[in-house]
Amino acid sequence: TKMPVTIVTTEEVAHQRALTNKMTKLSQSWWRRFAWYPRMQKCHYRRVDQIYLECRQKYGDGHFLLYATRQRLAKKYTQTAADVEKGLVAHRTFETDGCVKSAVPETTNGEYGRLKPTSLHFC
């Protein structure tokens, strides 16, 4: 009979057991020390909008917007009242042109000219 190509020695088995034991102890240690961290992180992430609003009120728009651009925050955190007003005006323009919630009808012949152009087209 032939000997198997890979022979596992007692040293390798002992090393594997020690490694497994160390990983188990490390995992248990992590759970004892840091199990609270994911829960607190989730709690803080739920409050991100509120925290940014409090900071904006405390430090003012100028400082907060500077911070927001440096940290590349999402656009929803960097909007000012003027930006919101511009968006509303643009939305009203689309409403008057009849483009809000309008769907382009499906075509079988490839013609897509069935909607009139919006006022933005004639700029």
Side-chain angles (χ1 to χ4, degrees), residues 12-111:
E12 291 173 336
V13 171
H15 174 70
Q16 191 63 37
R17 287 183 69 196
L19 187 66
T20 305
N21 191 20
K22 195 169 192 169
M23 287 174 58
T24 304
K25 284 182 181 178
L26 181 66
S27 177
Q28 290 170 351
S29 169
W30 188 91
W31 276 108
R32 273 195 317 274
R33 294 179 185 160
F34 303 112
W36 59 270
Y37 185 77
R39 290 190 303 269
M40 285 305 293
Q41 189 178 31
K42 187 189 235 181
C43 177
H44 285 304
Y45 277 132
R46 263 192 251 125
R47 288 191 56 233
V48 163
D49 294 347
Q50 179 187 358
I51 291 168
Y52 283 149
L53 179 64
E54 290 170 2
C55 291
R56 194 171 191 162
Q57 291 169 346
K58 184 175 181 180
Y59 299 110
D61 274 349
H63 290 294
F64 181 78
L65 292 176
L66 181 65
Y67 168 79
T69 31
R70 284 183 181 164
Q71 297 299 320
R72 297 182 182 152
L73 296 184
K75 187 170 182 150
K76 67 179 184 177
Y77 302 123
T78 61
Q79 285 193 344
T80 60
D83 295 337
V84 172
E85 186 61 35
K86 285 179 193 173
L88 290 174
V89 168
H91 188 71
R92 283 189 217 113
T93 304
F94 284 133
E95 281 179 345
T96 55
D97 287 341
C99 291
V100 175
K101 295 183 182 175
S102 63
V104 177
E106 293 182 18
T107 62
T108 54
N109 60 357
E111 292 180 18

